[in-house]
Amino acid sequence: MFTETIDILFIFAVLAPIVYWIGTKVNFNKLVDLWATLGFILSLYLLYFIYEIIKIKEIMVITIAKGLLPISWTFEIDALGVFMASIFVFIGLLTSIYSIRYMERDTGLAEYYILLLLMVAGMVGVVFAGDFFTFFIFWEIMCITSYVLVAFRKEEWEPVEAGFKYLIMSSTGSVMVLFAMSILYGMTGTLNFAYLASSLSNGATNLWSVLALALVVIGFGIKASIVPMHSWLPDAHPAAPSSISAMLSGVVIKAGAYALMRSLLIIFIPEAYNWQVIVAVLAVLTMSVGNLMALLQKDLKRLLAFSSIAQMGYIIFGLSIATFFGLTGGIFHVMNHAIMKSLLFLCSGAFLYAVESRNLDELAGIGRKMKLTGVMFTIGALALAGVPPLNGFQSEYMILFAGIDIGSMNTIWYIFSAIMLLNILFSVGYYLRLIQILMLKEPTKISLKAKEAPLAMLLPMGILAILCIVIGVYPGPFVSYSSSAAKAVLDVGQYVAAIIR
Amino acid sequence: MIDNYGLMLYSIIIPIIASPIAYLFGKRIGRVGNGILSTVAFAISTLMLFSYLNRVLDGEIISESYGVWIGLFKLDMSFLMDHLSLTISLLIAGISTLAAIYSISYMEHEHDQEIYFTCLLLFVGGMIGVVLASNLILFYLFWEMMLIPSYFLIAHWGKGRPKITGFKYFMFTHAGAACLLFGILWSYSLAGTFDFLKLSTALQSAPFDALRWIMILMFIGFAVKLAIFPVHTWLPDAHAEAPTPISVLLSGVMIKCGAYAMARITLTFFPSSVATVSYALLVLAIITMLWGGLMAFAQTDIKRLLAYSSVSQAGYILFGLMSLYSLGIAGGLFHIINHGIAKSLLFMSAGAIIYSTGIRDMRKLGGLASKMPITAVAVLCGALSIAGTPPFGGFASEWMIFAGAFEAGFMILGALAIIATIITIGYYLKMIKNVFFGEVPKNLKEVKEAPSYMLVPMSILTFFTVIFGIFAYVPLNIIYPAADIIGKFFLGG
């Protein structure tokens, strides 16, 4: 109904409790884990067919319930949507494999997998949506499932508090988006992206449309954790189970970045609204605050959460440049950051699994006991630090180049780019500190007890670590995949023409 | 001419491929096995590079292409071999081979041997890559790739306070690299290409102001690596505290990557902007020489003295390159070779002395000439070569550097540079006297000569310091054409 990729996730989510029940009956508790993994594999497989169609047809439009409701459901899938969806489902798949062993000490696994599958379904729906109504429904599916997943270990205080804070802040954002939607509906009488684009780009900017723009930036900015709307993230991401942290930091905040990209580039086009410099200031602020705060952390997962904020700054900076190169870099960095940050959270989960601690002082030297996990962690941290030849470098220099490239038009972009470069330089400091603490220090009493993680956890980590190296050494095909997505999002005319013939 | 396959890629990749082998099987094959693996890997690279000698001598510029790397930026995965790359890459691969042999003995008393050799292999792979890269992104990629393993080598196996030293080293060079990256990306936005072969013409129409900024940004990046005066402070710490084979590589060849990059990028692509600042850079070179020399005089730690001497010699190299005359540039490039050989020799000897006696402080050493005769000869040859005494290699190159400066009309600066050599010979004679002559302290009565894994590489290097002095025309056959190509960009060509 909502494209096969989403349908299969929904079906698997709905059937998960039954599978869980069967699993308990036949004394095979891991059945539901495998079921969820199978769901993700099928979903990824079906996504490939959509990718094949998009490669030829460029844009695919699906309309549901036309005429039944005053507002119809539209899906408009372009290269950017497929790009994002492929990352979401892929990371979801790896998380699900990882959870087979990681979550075995928890109860309530049926709920866990329902929520995980639904969250990914929601995210895929968000990037496939062709109108604000559809978009918002899937957006809320994603948000609500993620609130529950953050507070999944409800017997402890920290996750509940973090989940509650996340719930309040994020729903405020959702409400703002809803308000912006109603303003836009009032102005144009439609919620369809294509119709909105064509009617808003012709008319001059007025107070209402600027208000809607501000609400959209703040609303989505909360999800994308733009400073100063970021304060929920450093609480929520560490509190969640590590597999979920990997999802939240790796992909869920990217849904916010996607929403910003789509709405800013198609509805509020830069030629009319000139938001580039303001968004760039926010981006620069985001990366600087994120890096600065990360330097001060003693908790491994909290440090990684702050580094996510900084990395979102780079992505938003790429978006704010709003040129082909800037967007290619930004979108490419979405992919790279999803890979490296998921890798790091999964590794920190493996440490947590081994010794039940995320305090850096206690974890010192653990990389010597868990050699493979340690090496993969090192690869991920170096990639995040933007060290060649790993993947983070490839996208970071692309964003930087885009910034410098438009510097000849407005000198302020040189300054922004220089600040970003300083940030990258600065961030290496804490990543190296992290590697040194975990890999080179003498093991503490606690980390001496650590044993290497089980295979089901090493496998997804290994895949991500290898991807870090492969993308870094041979970025060609990945860059062209991202640049096709950038081209699609910049080509407003084609996006509009697919709906309005 | 363009080769579609060849040995350049393999000469970079063989050390890199050997590194996971060293890590995974390191414990099983042991220290000697690891050392032999590294030595063989580097020796194969050296031979592969050596096989290009005849083609390069014929004046061929060989480009080895593996097709498109990043289509978006029209980047190819390709490598370049000409006179300049051949000279420096042979130096790197050759000295690395000897350093690997040397490491076998050095690592005897150290921990985590397998990780050491893993890092060593990656480090050398990165350095060879820097010299063979044929576009700026590939160049930067290898440039940073050699940084990470060298950081761990210093921070984990260093002496004194290795973590702080390593961190300082990392932050300095990484900050330099950040300037370099800014310059590289800026130049692409003007030229539309990263390719070394196209960049020169593509940048000609660019606005002069922007070009000068790019040149300065890139120069800062290279100057940090080469340890030119105000940004040299990382070097004495890092080179003195690093494990000796790594000091050899850092002082002998890694800082030469900075000099190579100046010749390859700064002088070749930005001739008009360099010409406007060359006098300032010459002055900077003189300050570096004098400062490094005077600081070396004040040292009592034998490795620290050598490290400051490297700063001083980096000044000579810069001085030669910035004379902008073929003769001076050739002198600078030749000095890269001579200093690389002689300083590697000196660091290896210092390591041998420390290995045998356990003492780094020169005031506590003495009379070792009779106990360690081979080391004594090696130090004498190395020191005299760096001080520019005939018939050693250093004499030929320093003579060319000064001649180049006088030819370009910098009389006072040239005279100052010659005065700097007096300082050089002063501190080296002081070192030799303190270490090898005088009374043997009581606790050193039982000292023996260093093991043969150390003596073999030292003897080979000693041989080259003499040969390159007497038969200087052999290496100059390759170096002079390289300098001549660069010199032609300037009026003095």
Side-chain angles (χ1 to χ4, degrees), chain A residues 298-318:
Chain A
K298 269 204 169 298
D299 179 327
L300 176 58
K301 283 179 73 179
R302 213 175 153 78
L303 189 155
L304 294 178
F306 272 111
S307 122
S308 285
I309 296 178
Q311 301 285 327
M312 281 311 281
Y314 303 152
I315 294 170
I316 304 292
F317 183 64

Side-chain angles (χ1 to χ4, degrees), chain B residues 172-433:
Chain B
F172 262 89
T173 28
H174 199 61
C179 291
L180 173 62
L181 181 61
F182 203 96
I184 288 174
L185 296 176
W186 199 348
S187 73
Y188 182 78
S189 96
L190 294 177
T193 178
F194 285 122
D195 202 304
F196 281 165
L197 295 173
K198 296 174 194 150
L199 208 55
S200 193
T201 39
L203 278 173
Q204 261 165 9
S205 54
F208 183 75
D209 265 355
L211 270 188
R212 189 148 80 171
W213 276 110
I214 295 171
M215 193 279 288
I216 290 172
L217 280 170
M218 287 187 172
F219 182 81
I220 293 172
F222 304 147
V224 172
K225 208 56 140 197
L226 188 56
I228 298 303
F229 171 62
V231 285
H232 69 285
T233 57
W234 63 271
L235 188 145
D237 287 335
H239 290 207
E241 306 305 340
T244 303
I246 302 308
S247 304
V248 168
L249 289 181
L250 289 174
S251 250
V253 293
M254 191 201 72
I255 61 171
K256 307 307 177 341
C257 291
Y260 161 80
M262 281 181 195
R264 166 73 76 204
I265 294 170
T266 314
L267 292 178
T268 314
F269 302 139
F270 306 96
S272 54
S273 356
V274 174
T276 59
V277 294
S278 71
Y279 195 80
L281 294 178
L282 283 172
V283 173
L284 209 59
I286 296 280
I287 297 173
T288 311
M289 280 177 212
L290 293 173
W291 179 261
L294 290 174
M295 288 302 285
F297 232 118
Q299 303 306 317
T300 53
D301 182 318
I302 186 164
K303 278 181 78 178
R304 244 185 134 69
L305 181 144
L306 296 177
Y308 270 110
S309 159
S310 285
V311 175
S312 167
Q313 298 301 311
Y316 283 94
I317 295 170
L318 182 67
F319 192 77
L321 293 179
M322 287 304 153
S323 69
L324 306 185
Y325 267 73
S326 298
L327 187 59
I329 296 170
L333 295 178
F334 192 25
H335 201 56
I336 293 179
I337 307 287
N338 285 326
H339 176 247
I341 291 169
K343 190 48 68 63
S344 305
L345 175 58
L346 285 172
F347 265 116
M348 283 182 183
S349 313
I353 293 166
I354 297 168
Y355 181 92
S356 299
T357 64
I359 300 170
R360 304 169 56 130
D361 191 334
M362 288 187 289
R363 288 169 303 185
K364 293 181 186 151
L365 293 166
L368 288 181
S370 55
K371 306 275 179 196
M372 305 175 70
I374 302 176
T375 313
V377 172
V379 171
L380 200 66
C381 291
L384 290 178
S385 172
I386 287 187
T389 324
F392 296 102
F395 168 71
S397 50
E398 281 177 31
W399 172 81
M400 284 165 73
I401 291 172
F402 302 142
F406 287 128
E407 193 187 5
F410 301 117
M411 296 298 165
I412 300 170
L413 292 180
L416 279 172
I418 293 176
I419 291 173
T421 55
I422 301 173
I423 301 177
T424 311
I425 201 145
Y427 62 76
Y428 274 122
L429 287 181
K430 181 188 142 207
M431 179 187 105
I432 291 166
K433 179 181 151 285

Side-chain angles (χ1 to χ4, degrees), chain A residues 212-281:
Chain A
L213 170 64
L215 286 170
V216 160
V217 169
I218 296 173
F220 292 142
I222 290 178
K223 199 80 208 178
S225 80
I226 295 177
V227 172
M229 291 86 83
H230 68 286
S231 58
W232 61 272
L233 190 147
D235 290 328
H237 287 196
S242 288
S243 47
I244 298 304
S245 312
M247 285 300 285
L248 291 174
S249 255
V251 292
V252 174
I253 51 174
K254 306 306 184 323
Y258 164 83
L260 274 175
M261 257 175 223
R262 188 62 99 200
S263 49
L264 288 183
L265 288 167
I266 287 194
I267 301 170
F268 306 100
I269 50 167
E271 288 82 10
Y273 289 85
N274 282 320
W275 40 258
Q276 292 104 312
V277 174
I278 298 169
V279 176
V281 169

Side-chain angles (χ1 to χ4, degrees), chain A residues 14-260:
Chain A
V14 170
L15 293 180
I18 301 169
V19 174
Y20 181 72
W21 179 76
I22 295 171
T24 52
K25 285 290 155 198
V26 298
N27 264 339
F28 182 60
N29 284 333
K30 299 254 184 273
L31 194 62
V32 69
D33 307 68
L34 298 176
W35 174 254
T37 307
L38 180 69
F40 281 115
I41 292 173
L42 278 180
S43 172
L44 199 61
Y45 176 67
L46 291 169
L47 187 64
Y48 179 72
F49 290 109
I50 300 182
Y51 169 75
E52 286 286 308
I53 296 170
I54 297 298
K55 235 167 75 176
I56 302 158
K57 270 180 61 184
E58 308 262 325
I59 288 182
M60 188 168 132
V61 180
I62 300 168
T63 314
I64 308 161
K66 211 173 191 174
L68 283 176
L69 293 165
I71 302 162
S72 63
W73 294 51
T74 318
F75 289 94
E76 184 165 1
I77 307 164
D78 62 356
L80 178 65
V82 172
F83 179 88
M84 290 285 180
S86 60
I87 295 172
F88 296 162
V89 179
F90 181 67
I91 302 287
L93 169 64
L94 295 183
T95 309
S96 158
I97 297 171
Y98 182 85
S99 303
I100 295 174
R101 288 302 297 274
Y102 183 71
M103 295 302 287
E104 67 188 0
R105 297 172 192 168
D106 286 80
T107 53
L109 283 186
E111 293 94 318
Y112 174 82
Y113 284 110
I114 297 171
L115 290 166
L116 185 62
L117 286 160
L118 279 181
M119 185 164 79
V120 175
M123 283 189 289
V124 176
V126 161
V127 295
F128 281 180
D131 67 64
F132 256 126
F133 178 72
T134 319
F135 174 90
F136 195 74
I137 287 176
F138 282 104
W139 180 261
E140 284 300 295
I141 292 177
M142 171 189 91
C143 287
I144 291 167
T145 47
S146 63
Y147 306 147
V148 184
L149 280 171
V150 166
F152 187 73
R153 285 173 174 159
K154 55 188 184 302
E155 60 281 356
E156 290 164 47
W157 176 243
E158 188 203 352
V160 175
E161 186 193 346
F164 194 63
K165 185 175 179 185
Y166 177 34
L167 168 80
I168 291 179
M169 288 198 66
S170 179
S171 354
T172 316
S174 299
V175 168
M176 285 181 169
V177 173
L178 195 62
F179 189 33
M181 277 166 58
S182 55
I183 292 173
L184 289 174
Y185 190 76
M187 285 170 64
T188 59
T190 177
L191 282 178
N192 192 298
F193 288 146
Y195 283 106
L196 276 173
S198 67
S199 50
L200 280 180
S201 61
N202 299 333
T205 60
N206 61 31
L207 184 66
W208 289 108
S209 63
V210 173
L211 179 64
L213 170 64
L215 286 170
V216 160
V217 169
I218 296 173
F220 292 142
I222 290 178
K223 199 80 208 178
S225 80
I226 295 177
V227 172
M229 291 86 83
H230 68 286
S231 58
W232 61 272
L233 190 147
D235 290 328
H237 287 196
S242 288
S243 47
I244 298 304
S245 312
M247 285 300 285
L248 291 174
S249 255
V251 292
V252 174
I253 51 174
K254 306 306 184 323
Y258 164 83
L260 274 175

